[in-house]
Amino acid sequence: MNSNLILIPTKGMSEEQWLLHRQDGIGGSETGTVMLQNKWESQLELYHRKIGASPLVKHTNESMMWGHLHEDTIAKAWEYYDGSIEGMIKRLALGKEHKFRRNRRLNCIVKNPDYPHLLGNIDRVINKGQVMIFDGEILETEGILEIKTVKEFAMKMWEAEVPPMYMLQFYAYMGITGLRYTELAVLKDGSSMDVIPFYFKQEIFDSILEWTIPFWERVKKGRLLMNELRLAEMSGERRAIED
């Protein structure tokens, strides 16, 4: 990764602390919301959360819980994946000395001074020197491994292609880190895994910047207004501010 990156350690960080750090920018998973590609959250809802008009609550449901618990298992299976599910199964049965590739955790929030409004929470880093499985080339730098779980009701979204909101997340992470290669390991309905490669495209990252920079400028202005309203409430002058 680029040597100028700012790494904020998350190991031992409380959920409240993590949520506060998330307020310092736009996370990769929020990029799709800013670019109107998230069917579950609107840009306005994200804006309200970022300016402090909505509470900082991490919504956790059973699906998200299982996704988190499965992350380590999927990352481990990926290390045995040699281009085929059959090969992965055989290597797993033979034991850890038959791992095909390696990845590691990155317990940090990643920031790049060149794009200070963007945040990266990367699932795993692919170690340098690993094989890029779909073209056989050796990875000269590190890469990114992202992990997803998809339940049966969402399978149709994934039949034609990876949903845009997730692809934007991967390209944002590549832009932030300076890495140029990502693999997505996705477990579908708990019974089948796909591994999908992504190569950095500057035009996509440029589009991310075109959307996220003005959005973040609006957030900063909105925060100033929220502060004025809070001060007005404390002094009993809110009506004057609103007028």
Side-chain angles (χ1 to χ4, degrees):
M1 290 187 283
N2 286 343
S3 59
N4 66 332
L5 296 178
I6 300 167
L7 303 179
I8 304 169
T10 55
K11 191 171 184 179
M13 185 182 287
S14 69
E15 181 179 62
E16 183 179 8
Q17 290 172 320
W18 184 82
L19 288 171
L20 287 173
H21 278 295
R22 291 272 289 181
Q23 288 295 93
D24 289 340
I26 300 168
S29 61
E30 296 170 332
T31 303
T33 304
V34 175
M35 299 178 72
L36 310 180
Q37 296 298 321
N38 186 349
K39 63 183 292 185
W40 293 284
E41 183 180 46
S42 70
Q43 190 188 86
L44 183 60
E45 288 172 317
L46 178 62
Y47 171 79
H48 284 161
R49 192 166 72 250
K50 290 296 182 182
I51 67 171
S54 298
L56 299 181
V57 177
K58 184 180 180 184
H59 300 287
T60 301
N61 54 37
E62 185 180 9
S63 178
M64 294 172 68
M65 179 197 75
W66 286 117
H68 180 72
L69 291 175
H70 284 315
E71 185 175 306
D72 284 341
T73 302
I74 298 167
K76 176 184 175 182
W78 176 92
E79 293 192 308
Y80 294 88
Y81 183 82
D82 59 5
S84 72
I85 297 299
E86 293 78 10
M88 180 183 73
I89 293 170
K90 289 179 181 178
R91 287 176 178 274
L92 267 167
L94 291 170
K96 61 182 181 181
E97 63 273 16
H98 291 272
K99 287 183 179 181
F100 190 70
R101 297 184 293 170
R102 303 277 179 168
N103 70 75
R104 69 182 191 280
R105 283 183 175 274
L106 184 66
N107 295 313
C108 295
I109 297 171
V110 183
K111 298 189 73 172
N112 188 325
D114 293 334
Y115 317 111
H117 68 295
L118 296 178
L119 304 174
N121 288 272
I122 298 165
D123 289 337
R124 296 291 193 283
V125 173
I126 302 173
N127 292 358
K128 181 180 178 179
Q130 307 303 297
V131 176
M132 292 186 284
I133 199 71
F134 297 94
D135 58 20
E137 298 293 325
I138 299 299
L139 191 60
E140 295 182 359
T141 62
E142 296 168 319
I144 296 172
L145 175 63
E146 283 296 308
I147 297 167
K148 302 291 182 188
T149 56
V150 182
K151 291 182 69 66
E152 183 179 8
F153 75 89
M155 292 281 285
K156 288 184 178 180
M157 291 176 57
W158 293 74
E159 286 178 355
E161 63 177 0
V162 177
M165 62 177 288
Y166 296 118
M167 290 193 288
L168 291 169
Q169 178 182 355
F170 311 149
Y171 285 111
Y173 288 165
M174 285 188 277
I176 293 168
T177 61
L179 301 177
R180 295 299 180 256
Y181 181 70
T182 294
E183 285 189 19
L184 166 66
V186 54
L187 182 65
K188 297 181 177 180
D189 202 30
S191 60
S192 64
M193 188 175 87
D194 281 348
V195 179
I196 305 166
F198 293 86
Y199 298 85
F200 182 72
K201 295 181 180 179
Q202 185 64 50
E203 62 270 24
I204 295 179
F205 187 61
D206 288 343
S207 181
I208 290 172
L209 295 178
E210 288 172 7
W211 281 81
T212 57
I213 290 174
F215 176 82
W216 192 246
E217 290 301 314
R218 293 196 297 273
V219 167
K220 290 193 291 186
K221 291 178 182 177
R223 286 179 174 178
L224 291 174
L225 178 58
M226 287 296 295
N227 287 335
E228 289 180 7
L229 289 173
R230 291 189 182 103
L231 290 172
E233 282 183 336
M234 293 173 63
S235 63
E237 299 176 354
R238 176 164 181 163
R239 183 178 297 276
I241 293 290
E242 290 177 338
D243 292 341

